[in-house]
Amino acid sequence: MILIQVLYLIASVLFIIGIKMMNKTKEARSGNLVSSVGMLIAIIATLMQINIVSILEIFVCIAIGSAIGLYYAYKVEMTKIPEMVSLFNGFGGMASVAVAVSDFWLKTNGTMVQMGIIITISIILSVFIGAITFTGSMVAFLKLNGKITGNPITFKGQHLINLILLLVFISASIFALVNQLDTSIIIILTVISLLLGVLTVLPIGGADMPVVISLLNSYSGMAACATGFILNNNVLIVAGSLVGASGIILTQIMCKAMNRSLINVLLGGFGQTITKLEADGPEIIVKEVGVEEAAMLFDGASSVIVVPGYGMAVAQAQHVIRELYELCEKRNIDFKFAIHPVAGRMPGHMNVLLAEANISYDKLVEMDQINDEFSNTDLVLVVGANDVVNPAAHTNPKSPIYGMPILNASKARTVIVSKRSMGKGYAGVENELFGYPNCLMLFGDAKQTIAKLVMELKEL
Amino acid sequence: MNIESLIILLYVLVLASYLGFELIAKVPPTLHTPLMSGSNAISGITIVGALLACNEQGYTTLSKWLGMLALVLAVINVVGGYAVTDRMLKMFKKK
């Protein structure tokens, strides 16, 4: 039917316009709406092809899915967005696998019916990408919510196992193409792909999650693309490739911000071997500062930059930081936030948290724009960030983070670091900044110490 | 599927990917999280495939059950994804 094709075309255009509107913060919300209308139109167009007999169970499934989706979407805390995105992402991947296998079963019905080679390749790809997306996202989800350790999980020969699994997958696929894709092969392919998803994400540590989530996001788009080839449907390909492209770009940005190659991130185990090497280095002697003294420093400053990191999310400190920000605004202290691209557990994580705390987004400045300002700044407050302000990235060629672009917080007149303890950052290296003469450590839970700081500052 | 329709699909794939790269490279870093969850919702377009798979008649076939599973998962992905993106973007304010 021509009408259905036209509706699919409209849906594709709406997806494109929706993404385009995401370029501006003001229009982004409408863009999301436009894209969701596109989805609705695609669904309606598909329902028009559905036999009326199946409508009831379809609506039951839609009702169940919507209820679960809405419940989580409105319940989730903003600090937990990364794990929610990976969970949903995984569901999308699994849906692709299920559609591919369902289509395989429909076409062959378990018997040896010849399928075209293009369809066979598409089904194999859909299963492969979809299953890796599913289990990979589930592992990322479990790592992010702490059900399994965020540290890299490595064991001997893991790359070898991955390689063997991949080779078995490829051989089985070739066998299927030459002979026939049958039920046992599709089971083997699915199981191997599921295993590969688990094994490839396990060795990757928590702070590398921005890369992993971006990459898995891209995979889920590619899986949708592959499904589009199975069904010979353009809207899946358009939507899938938009998502695929988006994930790849974000992955590149994240890797660049860590000065590491994608391969290096994916091989995992980062920050494990280095600790021993660094232990021999000179011990860093830090100066502690109390809340009262810190409040006096704020009182005397005319410009302040806050550097938030994942620790801020863990301590849920964004709301007390908003109070601090309001207090400083009242005193005409210039107050900004410096956002490192990989701060947090997914791209842009800090921006969402600070937006939640009702902080105007024009106060959040990207690294390249703010890095020259540090030298003219009276006071920098680092909250739960570590590696992204470590000057070793510039000064110490032996450091594993050498060459990584960092925020030049150390250039400010005074730096206060709010930190729970002297623990090391993700890279497992000592932070030279903490030993600098202009650096003061404010130990304790970020939320509590900053709340106290706000109280003290109110009295000054 | 014949080779002509494959070629058309490949055209669509290449052009849409290129368009995606161009559009997304311009998204400001502030919006990367909503971009990701929003595009994640778009990847739930597999819902189209899931619906078609549900069209299979009779509960006895594996195809139908898999289709229904895919449908529930894709709907969670789509509805949850759009809703949480909207919730986030609502918070982005400029004073």
PDB file of all heavy atoms in Angstrom, chain B residues 7 34 61 75:
ATOM      1  N   ILE B   7      20.207  -2.763  -3.178  1.00  0.00           N
ATOM      2  CA  ILE B   7      20.965  -1.552  -3.509  1.00  0.00           C
ATOM      3  C   ILE B   7      20.245  -0.308  -2.974  1.00  0.00           C
ATOM      4  O   ILE B   7      20.863   0.586  -2.395  1.00  0.00           O
ATOM      5  CB  ILE B   7      21.170  -1.445  -5.046  1.00  0.00           C
ATOM      6  CG1 ILE B   7      22.095  -2.559  -5.528  1.00  0.00           C
ATOM      7  CG2 ILE B   7      21.734  -0.089  -5.427  1.00  0.00           C
ATOM      8  CD1 ILE B   7      23.519  -2.464  -5.056  1.00  0.00           C
ATOM      9  N   PRO B  34      20.768  13.699  27.054  1.00  0.00           N
ATOM     10  CA  PRO B  34      19.449  13.589  26.418  1.00  0.00           C
ATOM     11  C   PRO B  34      19.534  13.097  24.972  1.00  0.00           C
ATOM     12  O   PRO B  34      18.678  12.321  24.548  1.00  0.00           O
ATOM     13  CB  PRO B  34      18.898  15.018  26.443  1.00  0.00           C
ATOM     14  CG  PRO B  34      19.702  15.753  27.421  1.00  0.00           C
ATOM     15  CD  PRO B  34      21.006  15.063  27.563  1.00  0.00           C
ATOM     16  N   THR B  61       2.946 -20.859  17.335  1.00  0.00           N
ATOM     17  CA  THR B  61       4.223 -20.699  16.656  1.00  0.00           C
ATOM     18  C   THR B  61       5.211 -19.882  17.489  1.00  0.00           C
ATOM     19  O   THR B  61       4.836 -18.921  18.171  1.00  0.00           O
ATOM     20  CB  THR B  61       4.066 -20.002  15.294  1.00  0.00           C
ATOM     21  OG1 THR B  61       3.721 -18.658  15.541  1.00  0.00           O
ATOM     22  CG2 THR B  61       3.032 -20.667  14.442  1.00  0.00           C
ATOM     23  N   VAL B  75       8.706  -1.648  23.182  1.00  0.00           N
ATOM     24  CA  VAL B  75       7.831  -0.595  23.726  1.00  0.00           C
ATOM     25  C   VAL B  75       8.464   0.033  24.971  1.00  0.00           C
ATOM     26  O   VAL B  75       8.439   1.256  25.138  1.00  0.00           O
ATOM     27  CB  VAL B  75       6.423  -1.151  24.038  1.00  0.00           C
ATOM     28  CG1 VAL B  75       5.604  -0.117  24.789  1.00  0.00           C
ATOM     29  CG2 VAL B  75       5.706  -1.518  22.759  1.00  0.00           C
TER      30      VAL B  75
END
